[in-house]
Structure formats: structure tokens, C-alpha cells
Amino acid sequence: GENVEQHPSTLSVQEGDSAVIKCTYSDSASNYFPWYKQELGKGPQLIIDIRSNVGEKKDQRIAVTLNKTAKHFSLHITETQPEDSAVYFCAASVSSNTGKLIFGQGTTLQVKP
Amino acid sequence: DTAVSQTPKYLVTQMGNDKSIKCEQNLGHDTMYWYKQDSKKFLKIMFSYNNKELIINETVPNRFSPKSPDKAHLNLHINSLELGDSAVYFCASSPNTGDYGYTFGSGTRLTVV
């Protein structure tokens, strides 16, 4: 069935270092891959997304790469700051065009000052 | 103005009770969703509506009943609450079923005692 695997489950980095979170998906018809950031006590917030016709997208310190052949995509955060500490979720669209997203298990990122 | 607002934010209730959670969006979106986030932070879709029409009904106990009086509102009613229903419930909206750019509400933490 539809599945998204996300690794690592926890990630601790020093301020200023880079952080990378990886996801793999099972549905070869998935064509939309968003990343969400969830801070404590809040709802997930969309931070960047990529569509299947694009291999890479960047927005300031955040970038996402997509490898459709291997069915995996990654989030890269450079020059991490303490305010980047949160839970990050990847997701993939389901081929049925119902608006449904399948989420990964989440990565808790801790940026140490 | 909050884009997607949920009420209440916290709900503590006894087993066997019936409760409702309300959601409203002012983004003009056509599609609304209910997601459940369990204690391990896993996000799973429950229902979606597109312009008041039920689109997705995942494998959810029939004690859960969504209602969409208009495209800006999506409510969730839960009958005969069980301990296992304790979770954070998130409402989200997107422009339509083909545009997956979700905006999430801040969540309702339901605790069944």
C-alpha cells in the first residue's frame, strides 16, 4: 500500500551545521512532495514543496531534492539556527487525485546553540 | 485573522461521552480534511470534503462522523468516546483536491479518561 518512510527519527546538530532528512515513497504515481515543520503545540506548517517534474528546489537556507527513479526525496537545511528546532514531516501525494497526503513518521531536529 | 481555526483547543472527557470539534477556514479553499496525530506524532488522514461532498473516508470507526455545512466549515463528531481516541486532531484545508498545499489548524488535543 501507500507508504512514506522517513529517517532519521531524531537529529541533533550544532548551530551553523547542516541537517539532512531523507524520505522514500512507495507510490510511483506520487507527484507532489511537501515538507512540514511542526513546533510544539502548533499545527504543521508548509515550509517547502517540490513537484515531480523538478529535481531540486531552494528557498534561502532550505532545499529539497527529488530522485523519482529511486523514489526518494530529501530536505537540506544549511546554517541551522536554534529556531529550526522542531519536528519535520515529509509527505507524498496519493495517485487518486483526492488531495490525500501520506506523511512520514517525522524527524525531531534539535539545534544546539 | 487565523486562516484555519479549530475549537476547542483542549478537550478532556470521560469514556462513553459524545463530543464535537469544529473547524473553519477563511482561505476560500474548496477542500477540507481531518487528520489524527497519535502519541508518536504520526499523522493519518481520516476524512476529506470537497465543497461539502465527502471525498475520503478512511478506515475510521463509524463512531466518528464528519459534517460539512458549507465549504468553509468541517466539523467532527465522535460518539461513545474510547481511551484510544485520545490524540491531537488537526483540521486542514487546500485550494482543491488537485492542489495539495495544505494549511493546518493548530489542533485539538482530545484526552479521554
Side-chain angles (χ1 to χ4, degrees):
Chain A
E2 307 140 352
N3 190 43
V4 175
E5 293 286 333
Q6 182 173 345
H7 298 281
S9 56
T10 60
L11 181 58
S12 182
V13 300
Q14 286 296 134
E15 183 177 358
D17 287 351
S18 294
V20 180
I21 304 170
K22 299 184 179 184
C23 289
T24 58
Y25 60 97
S26 61
D27 186 351
S28 56
S30 294
N31 60 10
Y32 175 73
F33 308 91
W35 287 88
Y36 287 85
K37 175 183 180 183
Q38 185 177 20
E39 296 175 329
L40 202 60
K42 297 184 179 180
Q45 182 181 11
L46 179 68
I47 55 171
I48 194 167
D49 55 14
I50 192 167
R51 296 194 179 269
S52 57
N53 57 350
V54 176
E56 185 174 355
K57 184 176 177 181
K58 192 173 180 181
D59 183 4
Q60 298 182 7
R61 298 185 296 110
I62 294 173
V64 58
T65 59
L66 171 65
N67 182 329
K68 280 214 75 179
T69 304
K71 288 195 272 188
H72 66 70
F73 56 114
S74 301
L75 178 72
H76 305 251
I77 307 174
T78 58
E79 299 170 25
T80 53
Q81 300 166 2
E83 51 266 38
D84 294 330
S85 297
V87 180
Y88 290 81
F89 293 95
C90 64
S93 61
V94 170
S95 56
S96 56
N97 201 36
T98 57
K100 179 180 175 181
L101 291 175
I102 301 293
F103 284 80
Q105 298 91 332
T107 296
T108 301
L109 172 65
Q110 182 187 26
V111 180
K112 298 177 186 174
Chain B
D1 261 355
T2 305
V4 180
S5 58
Q6 291 179 234
T7 54
K9 190 167 176 64
Y10 300 97
L11 192 49
V12 181
T13 188
Q14 290 189 323
M15 279 174 50
N17 283 352
D18 303 338
K19 289 294 178 186
S20 291
I21 305 171
K22 295 187 175 183
C23 179
E24 176 182 2
Q25 55 97 1
N26 63 6
L27 298 167
H29 288 171
D30 284 347
T31 311
M32 296 184 73
Y33 310 83
W34 280 112
Y35 273 79
K36 180 181 180 180
Q37 186 171 50
D38 63 22
S39 58
K40 295 185 178 179
K41 297 218 172 279
F42 185 63
L43 279 160
K44 190 173 191 306
I45 194 166
M46 301 173 69
F47 302 102
S48 78
Y49 272 76
N50 187 65
N51 202 7
K52 301 193 295 177
E53 180 187 353
L54 181 65
I55 301 296
I56 295 173
N57 185 348
E58 290 288 294
T59 314
V60 176
N62 57 15
R63 298 182 294 104
F64 290 78
S65 53
K67 276 207 173 74
S68 182
D70 55 62
K71 74 174 194 176
H73 295 85
L74 180 61
N75 304 322
L76 183 66
H77 188 76
I78 316 170
N79 289 327
S80 304
L81 277 155
E82 300 177 357
L83 292 176
D85 297 331
S86 296
V88 181
Y89 293 84
F90 285 101
C91 176
S93 71
S94 69
N96 52 63
T97 57
D99 187 336
Y100 301 86
Y102 286 13
T103 300
F104 280 91
S106 56
T108 295
R109 181 175 293 277
L110 172 65
T111 304
V112 183
V113 297

